[in-house]
Amino acid sequence: MGDNASDSYQVPEIVKNRQLAVVSGLTFAVLVGALGTALYFAKYAGSGYNMNSPAAQMAANRRLQKVGDVSLQITDAGGGAPKTGEEAYKAVCAACHGTGAAGAPKFGDAAEWGPRIAQGESVLLKHALEGFKGSKGVMPPKGGSSLSDDEVHRAMVYMANAGGAKFAEPKAGAAAGAASGAASAAGGASAAAAPAASGAAGTTTAAAGNAGEALFKQTCQACHGAGVAGAPKFGDKAAWAPRIAQGEDTLFKHAIGGFQGKSGVMPPKGGSPASDDDVKAAVRYMVAAGK
């Protein structure tokens, strides 16, 4: 009888295995949770991350866009048909105007669009094409896209009309007049650079410098002209000194690929469709002014 009583207190082997599986599972879950927490703080809690920065808001908005919208970005090798205002808006503008990120007037918000519409269609188009720095945020040229002038015009009218405007649907080539000033300036620079190509290497360097100044005035000035969003202000030696000390290659990498610093954000190529060489020329132009 004693032996039988002793046997009744023994835990069956299958129960032991279940208990071991439960303990192992809980231990694994705790380890995974700890690892996830560590990775989160390593990525987002560092001093260089700012969840309220324009770049962080834009990235979050892009992640929240419907997957179906991605198909609107795809075009064939020939460029495809020109986008309508709605298509251009969904492809580019919705990243900020869809939720009002980075100070952009939110799509369909008549209160926000009212004062802007009052400035007139030509002013809105100029800001959309060339870029603009307002009191609440920055509008990169063409929203940092490679849309044509007409596509930008259609997108602007589409958004303005959703905010209460009564602008007519733009005709093909309607944006040419607003862009003619910038085009003339670019043409003049090209004409001046043409005879320089036959000169010495020093003349070629001067032409590159002109390209850098042109891109600075067209794009970089929106932030670097006044030190917006943590950008080192043009000509501010104290602000540029630690950056210059990193070396030209590092500055090129940050300017072309983008960079999240402690005090601000540098979007890739400043949100412009400029070539790598032109971006490098603009960096050299700003560095020269900051020495």
Side-chain angles (χ1 to χ4, degrees):
M1 180 176 180
D3 292 339
N4 293 335
S6 175
D7 292 341
S8 65
Y9 289 99
Q10 292 181 356
V11 179
E13 190 69 23
I14 189 172
V15 174
K16 292 182 180 180
N17 291 338
R18 288 176 181 173
Q19 292 175 340
L20 179 60
V22 170
V23 172
S24 300
L26 291 174
T27 302
F28 179 75
V30 171
L31 290 175
V32 170
L35 179 61
T37 302
L39 290 175
Y40 173 85
F41 281 101
K43 183 174 182 180
Y44 296 108
S47 59
Y49 181 80
N50 180 5
M51 64 184 297
N52 295 318
S53 69
Q57 292 180 34
M58 289 175 67
N61 288 329
R62 289 193 180 98
R63 290 195 296 271
L64 292 174
Q65 284 185 342
K66 296 179 180 179
V67 175
D69 291 344
V70 177
S71 63
L72 297 175
Q73 317 296 325
I74 303 174
T75 58
D76 56 32
K83 288 182 173 62
T84 65
E86 182 179 2
E87 289 172 341
Y89 164 77
K90 290 181 177 180
V92 178
C93 318
C96 287
H97 290 280
T99 58
K106 189 175 180 179
F107 182 81
D109 191 325
E112 291 189 6
W113 276 98
R116 294 170 170 86
I117 293 171
Q119 298 177 50
E121 182 177 353
S122 60
V123 173
L124 289 179
L125 179 58
K126 184 176 187 295
H127 292 171
L129 291 174
E130 301 176 5
F132 177 72
K133 182 180 73 68
S135 58
K136 296 182 179 179
V138 176
M139 167 67 192
K142 296 187 177 183
S145 75
S146 58
L147 293 174
S148 69
D149 289 357
D150 284 337
E151 288 172 330
V152 172
H153 193 180
R154 293 188 198 104
M156 183 276 291
V157 168
Y158 174 73
M159 289 187 288
N161 287 348
K166 302 295 182 183
F167 298 149
E169 180 71 17
K171 298 179 181 179
S180 61
S184 298
S190 298
S198 61
T203 308
T204 302
T205 302
N210 291 338
E213 181 179 2
L215 182 58
F216 168 80
K217 291 180 178 179
Q218 180 183 3
T219 301
C220 316
Q221 186 171 247
C223 291
H224 290 280
V228 174
K233 189 175 180 180
F234 183 78
D236 188 332
K237 293 179 173 56
W240 276 97
R243 294 170 169 87
I244 293 174
Q246 297 177 46
E248 193 174 67
D249 289 341
T250 298
L251 293 179
F252 288 161
K253 180 181 178 182
H254 291 171
I256 294 173
F259 179 68
Q260 166 72 62
K262 293 181 179 180
S263 58
V265 177
M266 171 64 196
K269 296 186 178 182
S272 79
S275 68
D276 290 358
D277 287 341
D278 284 349
V279 172
K280 291 179 180 180
V283 169
R284 291 190 177 106
Y285 174 74
M286 290 187 283
V287 165
K291 288 183 176 180

